Amino acid sequence: MKILQFTILVLIFTKSPVSSKRHLKHPSLSSTSANPTNSDVHTLYKARRKSSSPRPNIILILTDDQDKDLGSLQFMPKLARHLGEEGATYQHGYVSTPMCCPSRSSLLTGLYVHNHHVYTNNDNCSSPYWVENHEKRTFATYLQQSGYHTAYYGKYLNKYTGHHVPPGWDQWHGLVRNSRFYNFTINSNGVLKQHGDDYARDYLPDIITNKTLQLISRSTISSSPFMAVLSYPGPHGPEDAAPQYQDMFHNVTTHHTPAYDFAPNPDKQWILRHTEKMLPIHRSFTDLLMTKRLQTLQSVDSAVEKIVQRLADTGQLDNTYIFYTSDHGYHLGQFGLVKGKAFPFEFDTHVPFLVRGPGIPPRSVRDQPVLNIDLAPTFLDIAGLEKPPHMDGKSILPTFRKPDKKLRDAFLIERGKMTFERYSVVSQEERGVLEDENVSFFSKNHLSLTERLSVECNKPRYQSPCSLNQKWVCKKKGDGSLKIIRCKNKQGLKSSRMKYSNCHCSIGEKFGWKNDRSDKRGMKKNRTKLNLFSLTRRARSILTSQGDTSMFDDIAHEEMKEVDYLVEDIDEEIRGLHILNNITKPTGCVLSRKDKVCQQKMTDEDPSTWITSRSTIKHQIQQLRAQLNELKQIRKYLRLKRPVKEKEQGTRRHMKSGGSSSPFREPGAEVCVCDEVQNNEVVKQHLKEERNGRRREKKMERLLRKERKRMKADKKNQRKSKKQDHCKVDVKMNCFSHDNNHWQTAPLWTAGPFCACTNSNNNTYWCVRNINTTHNYLYCEYVTGMITYFDLKVDPFQLTNLLYTLPDSQLNYMHQQVTHLRTYSGEKRFLERKQRKLRLQKNKLRQKRRRKQRQSSIVALSTKSRRG
């Protein structure tokens, strides 16, 4: 199947030969370079123009953490005038993952997060895997190959180290690491440059704007169109506004939406159920943070006007598309969360999305849902290039001239990398992340017996049915309560032996024992008597002791008779050893106390005699070894036949002497010969159980080490919390602390230190967002098992989970939507379509051949009949 898929891609998207090693390493694209001299590098997807008409310039203005639902666009009048009034506003602009690095990776590649595997701001962000597999397949490489002059200014990816220039960019001025306004490092075309805190020389938003203006001016003397990405740091932290804007927007409260400080939320995910209402210091902080965020956006607003004016001055405005959007939204106090992102709600996923350019009517509004993954295929479509088959997004270019053009109804919103299986392991074994149904249990200082049983019975080691070597299992009583009982197959090796034979044999032994069926009823009666004696021990101590003594005497008498027979057999064995010298051939050698002396003629004169003597000695040694082995078996046989009365004392002596651990035979048992084949099976089973036991021990050791490590980290966090009383760190939540020294530019925070928790490790989800003329809902499935449904037609701020109002048919439909989108891949869909077309072509050819064969056969028959 993989070879067929690969062949299809080669046949469709290549015209020139490509290295086979490149094909195997990168199925969609071979390595390219940021150096324009390497533009002749071939790829499986070749950037081919669909027409030879002049191509427009493309500018993408990208902000960091800018909201739409909190009202930030109300305070950007220049953006509204130059893009909103002169272009189109997409009311439903969204991101597929509301986090910086995953969203930016999706924007560059046109892929959902589950296809490029950059799940968080840390995991795989600008990693070697990303560089080797996906950085070479961004829209920049395709535009550069088609003749565009490409440029990137500003923030790239959170973990970008600046040690390389990503392929596809002719001009590269990428910020190292996360957003900063001062005191940062930029990779400027391969050279690392440090910047300080001087506003005139080092303010990053102004550097991005000035370099873009220079690019526009230089492009007038070039015949090639340009594509530029302007990635501004604002309004991301540390929210350092330019000095001229630091007195603006105080006391703004547009972020006080109906969801502001709406907490706690028992009908939502784990983190929101445990988030209480904000303290007064938290509310003050959100107000000041909103002010500082709006101040930083003024530099971006000013940049929009400068860029539009420079394009107009150089005569390029009418031939340039300008896009404006953000990598994700933001929340300030919504549902009690002081600040942050990473949630599937509108305030984190809904982003500004404006565009102006050729063919777009002014003041137009679009209702189609558009995503960050749509930007890459849109840029290629504008450049006259075919969309690469691996991209998940869609080009929105047709909607520029056709406002009612249908694009999609539903799309995926996903966050996090934790799977259901991983969450189950973590929540049950480490308890690092608590299960939803057990949160109330673990919040208590003391648990009742019923609660402890409920928690323990959820663990894998108590699940039914009993597995091999499982000792305990949880069962439900008749009244529905739980109990932990011993597994019936807990006997281990003994049960394995019983499986193969009635003869109870220890490993490697020839003799064993089995119950005498004729005396089985008597044994049951004797055991019943013993149980009765033990139950009434205090009341009938004298009778019990007398009954025990008489019973042991009877058993001992029978055993002694068998021992007499054994002694006779041993006497015969010893007598056979005495006559061993009479049945063996003479060797000509005599063993003395000091040395072994052989006849001289045997060793010197006759070699054949020496060979015969050596063979005789070897034969005698083998016989003696066989006799010794038989004696060892007889000795163990005697152990099995030891009188039961002496069993307890003998066992103690045996343990002290370090002897074998062979089991004693039960009363009323008889000796039997072990089956060698079955014994070998028992040995194999025993070795397998030993290996499994060692593995379980090692696993428990690892879990214990991990638990000790976690407890050590908890103690460390507790010590930290004692030193910083304002921030009580919760190990199950992601928290931040803030104090008077955090901000270095005005307006400053002076209310003192505080702490707030904004996220949790189990906030992993997969959601379907559906927007059309009849439906507008958000359906989410969390890794914890939580499910939420919000109808935004009646509840636009997602205040109430309406899951239980859904009928089963709608619930199943939404679940199928999520299941389909979670594994959606544009590349797989493309290959499936091509394979379907190939099958149809083959079927048509086959049918055509059959028709020809039928026609030829008809002609032959008619010809034959005429001749006849």
Side-chain angles (χ1 to χ4, degrees):
M1 179 61 75
K2 291 183 179 179
I3 295 175
L4 178 61
Q5 294 175 354
F6 171 74
T7 305
I8 293 172
L9 281 175
V10 173
L11 290 175
I12 295 171
F13 294 101
T14 58
K15 289 185 178 180
S16 56
V18 191
S19 168
S20 61
K21 290 184 179 179
R22 300 280 188 186
H23 283 199
L24 293 174
K25 267 184 150 182
H26 309 295
S28 299
L29 180 65
S30 63
S31 65
T32 57
S33 172
N35 193 335
T37 61
N38 294 335
S39 60
D40 58 341
V41 176
H42 298 295
T43 63
L44 284 180
Y45 164 78
K46 187 65 178 178
R48 296 196 302 268
R49 294 181 58 180
K50 293 183 287 187
S51 65
S52 58
S53 59
R55 296 186 292 177
N57 304 315
I58 305 171
I59 295 177
L60 170 63
I61 301 175
L62 181 66
T63 54
D64 195 358
D65 286 13
Q66 184 176 1
D67 63 272
K68 185 177 187 299
D69 288 17
L70 305 189
S72 64
L73 293 179
Q74 302 176 25
F75 303 92
M76 302 183 71
K78 297 173 183 178
L79 173 66
R81 181 166 61 252
H82 293 292
L83 265 66
E85 295 179 5
E86 298 296 331
T89 300
Y90 284 81
Q91 298 284 13
H92 302 299
Y94 288 87
V95 294
S96 59
T97 300
M99 294 188 72
C100 293
C101 196
S103 178
R104 289 170 178 266
S105 301
S106 294
L107 186 151
L108 291 165
T109 60
L111 298 175
Y112 276 122
V113 165
H114 62 264
N115 289 328
H116 62 64
H117 308 300
V118 182
Y119 293 103
T120 66
N121 288 337
N122 297 313
D123 184 68
N124 208 28
C125 179
S126 193
S127 67
Y129 170 82
W130 158 263
V131 172
E132 188 67 19
N133 292 277
H134 296 290
E135 198 169 53
K136 300 173 183 179
R137 301 198 300 173
T138 64
F139 61 80
T141 57
Y142 305 134
L143 291 175
Q144 187 190 58
Q145 289 168 8
S146 69
Y148 266 79
H149 183 81
T150 57
Y152 196 101
Y153 307 112
K155 176 180 176 179
Y156 181 50
L157 299 175
N158 296 49
K159 295 297 181 180
Y160 173 64
T161 60
H163 295 318
H164 74 287
V165 175
W169 301 101
D170 297 302
Q171 288 191 40
W172 178 257
H173 301 275
L175 177 67
V176 176
R177 300 292 181 181
N178 208 353
S179 288
R180 300 291 296 272
F181 295 82
Y182 297 105
N183 301 307
F184 54 85
T185 302
I186 279 185
N187 182 319
S188 182
N189 294 321
V191 179
L192 294 177
K193 294 184 178 180
Q194 307 249 349
H195 287 264
D197 56 1
D198 182 71
Y199 170 73
R201 293 178 302 177
D202 302 316
Y203 194 60
L204 182 58
D206 290 352
I207 291 176
I208 295 172
T209 302
N210 294 333
K211 288 189 176 296
T212 305
L213 297 178
Q214 294 173 8
L215 173 68
I216 295 172
S217 299
R218 288 196 302 267
S219 64
T220 57
I221 59 176
S222 174
S223 59
S224 300
F226 69 87
M227 190 281 159
V229 176
L230 286 59
S231 182
Y232 286 93
H236 193 284
E239 298 95 9
D240 294 324
Q244 63 269 30
Y245 304 125
Q246 292 177 358
D247 295 328
M248 301 175 65
F249 310 122
H250 287 275
N251 301 319
V252 171
T253 58
T254 57
H255 59 291
H256 288 196
T257 64
Y260 184 79
D261 206 16
F262 188 83
N265 291 268
D267 60 341
K268 296 182 177 66
Q269 61 264 44
W270 185 86
I271 177 65
L272 295 182
R273 292 205 301 271
H274 291 77
T275 300
E276 301 294 335
K277 285 188 174 295
M278 294 186 293
L279 300 174
I281 192 173
H282 296 152
R283 298 174 68 94
S284 300
F285 173 77
T286 61
D287 295 342
L288 182 57
L289 182 56
M290 184 65 180
T291 297
K292 292 182 71 69
R293 284 168 56 83
L294 294 177
Q295 291 173 356
T296 61
L297 285 173
Q298 298 314 297
S299 296
V300 183
D301 195 45
S302 175
V304 171
E305 185 175 58
K306 292 178 181 179
I307 291 169
V308 171
Q309 188 63 44
R310 182 63 59 91
L311 288 170
D313 294 343
T314 57
Q316 301 181 79
L317 181 60
D318 294 336
N319 192 40
T320 302
Y321 283 100
I322 305 176
F323 291 79
Y324 185 95
T325 188
S326 176
D327 57 357
H328 53 76
Y330 207 71
H331 58 257
L332 284 172
Q334 279 63 42
F335 297 137
L337 300 168
V338 177
K339 71 169 185 175
K341 53 256 187 181
F343 285 78
F345 304 108
E346 290 289 285
F347 45 72
D348 283 356
T349 59
H350 198 191
V351 295
F353 203 104
L354 298 90
V355 58
R356 69 168 290 174
I360 300 179
R363 299 176 182 272
S364 58
V365 178
R366 302 290 186 274
D367 292 326
Q368 297 92 339
V370 292
L371 304 176
N372 54 344
I373 60 175
D374 296 333
L375 289 173
T378 301
F379 296 157
L380 300 181
D381 198 6
I382 291 173
L385 305 178
E386 295 180 356
K387 171 190 167 182
H390 67 271
M391 288 188 177
D392 301 328
K394 300 180 179 180
S395 172
I396 65 172
L397 183 62
T399 65
F400 290 172
R401 294 179 175 84
K402 298 179 181 179
D404 298 330
K405 176 73 174 178
K406 185 176 180 180
L407 195 64
R408 61 166 62 86
D409 285 338
F411 56 90
L412 178 69
I413 299 176
E414 58 184 332
R415 187 264 177 187
K417 62 176 182 176
M418 184 177 288
T419 62
F420 290 107
E421 294 78 8
R422 176 61 183 161
Y423 174 77
S424 176
V425 172
V426 171
S427 61
Q428 290 181 3
E429 293 184 357
E430 297 184 20
R431 297 183 183 177
V433 182
L434 301 180
E435 288 186 292
D436 288 334
E437 59 269 20
N438 292 333
V439 170
S440 60
F441 290 164
F442 290 117
S443 61
K444 298 180 180 180
N445 294 328
H446 300 284
L447 301 179
S448 65
L449 177 60
T450 304
E451 292 172 339
R452 286 200 304 272
L453 283 173
S454 178
V455 173
E456 293 296 319
C457 286
N458 285 327
K459 296 181 179 179
R461 61 175 176 268
Y462 296 126
Q463 296 301 311
S464 178
C466 291
S467 59
L468 184 64
N469 297 310
Q470 183 175 339
K471 295 182 178 180
W472 303 94
V473 65
C474 273
K475 294 289 185 182
K476 277 191 176 182
K477 297 181 182 179
D479 58 356
S481 60
L482 296 171
K483 64 177 179 179
I484 298 179
I485 62 173
R486 194 180 288 271
C487 288
K488 294 183 179 180
N489 62 343
K490 67 181 180 60
Q491 297 172 353
L493 185 58
K494 181 178 178 181
S495 62
S496 299
R497 289 196 301 262
M498 292 292 291
K499 181 179 179 180
Y500 296 104
S501 173
N502 291 328
C503 189
H504 297 256
C505 299
S506 297
I507 297 175
E509 301 295 338
K510 292 186 176 181
F511 297 102
W513 58 270
K514 64 180 179 179
N515 291 324
D516 188 1
R517 295 183 179 179
S518 62
D519 197 31
K520 193 172 182 180
R521 295 180 180 177
M523 291 300 298
K524 287 186 177 180
K525 291 181 180 180
N526 289 334
R527 289 175 182 170
T528 305
K529 290 179 181 180
L530 283 173
N531 293 335
L532 290 175
F533 286 137
S534 60
L535 289 173
T536 58
R537 182 175 180 180
R538 293 183 180 179
R540 302 171 60 185
S541 59
I542 299 177
L543 293 176
T544 303
S545 61
Q546 291 176 353
D548 289 342
T549 303
S550 60
M551 184 175 62
F552 281 126
D553 289 341
D554 293 339
I555 295 173
H557 179 69
E558 296 176 359
E559 295 291 340
M560 290 302 292
K561 289 182 180 180
E562 294 185 9
V563 171
D564 292 339
Y565 298 132
L566 284 175
V567 171
E568 293 179 4
D569 294 338
I570 294 170
D571 185 64
E572 291 293 331
E573 295 286 342
I574 294 173
R575 188 180 301 113
L577 290 176
H578 286 322
I579 62 173
L580 184 61
N581 290 330
N582 297 328
I583 64 174
T584 57
K585 297 179 180 180
T587 61
C589 295
V590 179
L591 180 63
S592 66
R593 292 186 177 181
K594 295 183 179 180
D595 197 1
K596 180 179 288 187
V597 181
C598 296
Q599 295 177 5
Q600 186 68 22
K601 66 176 183 178
M602 183 194 71
T603 57
D604 297 338
E605 298 178 2
D606 192 359
S608 62
T609 305
W610 178 85
I611 294 173
T612 304
S613 300
R614 188 184 64 173
S615 300
T616 303
I617 291 295
K618 286 185 176 180
H619 180 67
Q620 290 180 7
I621 291 174
Q622 291 175 358
Q623 283 186 329
L624 290 172
R625 284 178 175 171
Q627 292 291 338
L628 180 61
N629 186 46
E630 292 294 333
L631 286 173
K632 288 181 178 179
Q633 294 299 325
I634 292 170
R635 182 179 61 185
K636 293 179 180 179
Y637 181 89
L638 285 173
R639 280 200 201 104
L640 291 173
K641 302 295 291 186
R642 181 175 296 170
V644 179
K645 184 177 180 180
E646 300 178 3
K647 180 177 178 180
E648 184 177 357
Q649 297 178 356
T651 302
R652 293 172 182 169
R653 292 195 301 269
H654 188 64
M655 295 292 287
K656 291 181 180 179
S657 62
S660 175
S661 58
S662 300
F664 291 100
R665 102 182 145 82
E666 294 185 356
E670 60 181 13
V671 178
C672 58
V673 179
C674 297
D675 190 326
E676 185 176 358
V677 177
Q678 294 178 352
N679 202 7
N680 290 337
E681 294 294 330
V682 173
V683 171
K684 291 180 182 178
Q685 184 69 18
H686 177 70
L687 293 175
K688 182 179 179 181
E689 292 176 355
E690 284 185 346
R691 288 194 300 270
N692 292 335
R694 287 194 296 269
R695 289 171 186 164
R696 285 194 303 273
E697 290 177 359
K698 290 181 180 179
K699 183 178 180 181
M700 289 304 299
E701 289 177 0
R702 289 196 301 269
L703 292 176
L704 288 173
R705 285 196 301 268
K706 193 177 292 186
E707 182 66 17
R708 286 193 293 266
K709 186 176 180 181
R710 186 187 66 80
M711 293 176 66
K712 186 177 180 180
D714 290 347
K715 291 181 180 179
K716 185 177 180 180
N717 291 330
Q718 289 176 4
R719 289 195 298 269
K720 286 184 178 180
S721 64
K722 290 180 181 179
K723 295 180 181 178
Q724 301 177 354
D725 294 333
H726 67 281
C727 191
K728 304 292 185 182
V729 180
D730 191 325
V731 295
K732 296 177 288 296
M733 296 186 182
N734 302 329
C735 307
F736 76 96
S737 60
H738 192 90
D739 53 33
N740 294 350
N741 299 321
H742 185 81
W743 285 322
Q744 301 299 318
T745 58
L748 299 176
W749 175 257
T750 58
F754 70 89
C755 176
C757 296
T758 58
N759 207 343
S760 64
N761 297 329
N762 61 355
N763 190 31
T764 296
Y765 52 78
W766 300 268
C767 304
V768 58
R769 185 72 172 88
N770 194 300
I771 303 174
N772 53 38
T773 56
T774 58
H775 293 87
N776 187 3
Y777 64 79
L778 173 68
Y779 171 86
C780 295
E781 295 179 357
Y782 291 83
V783 72
T784 59
M786 185 72 182
I787 301 176
T788 59
Y789 167 77
F790 301 96
D791 186 353
L792 277 74
K793 280 185 172 291
V794 298
D795 183 18
F797 298 99
Q798 304 101 67
L799 302 180
T800 306
N801 181 8
L802 301 176
L803 176 69
Y804 299 104
T805 64
L806 291 175
D808 292 342
S809 58
Q810 293 185 14
L811 187 62
N812 291 333
Y813 172 74
M814 294 177 189
H815 174 69
Q816 292 174 2
Q817 277 188 305
V818 171
T819 304
H820 168 70
L821 290 172
R822 279 184 61 184
T823 57
Y824 176 83
S825 171
E827 185 173 4
K828 290 181 181 178
R829 186 182 181 190
F830 168 80
L831 293 172
E832 289 172 356
R833 287 181 175 179
K834 290 300 175 183
Q835 290 173 1
R836 193 181 305 116
K837 288 183 180 179
L838 287 176
R839 286 194 297 269
L840 290 175
Q841 291 176 0
K842 289 180 180 179
N843 290 333
K844 288 181 180 179
L845 290 174
R846 192 180 297 111
Q847 293 174 2
K848 189 175 181 180
R849 288 196 209 98
R850 290 176 180 174
R851 283 196 299 268
K852 286 184 178 180
Q853 290 175 359
R854 284 196 298 269
Q855 290 175 359
S856 60
S857 61
I858 292 172
V859 171
L861 289 172
S862 61
T863 305
K864 187 176 180 180
S865 61
R866 288 173 185 173
R867 290 177 181 177

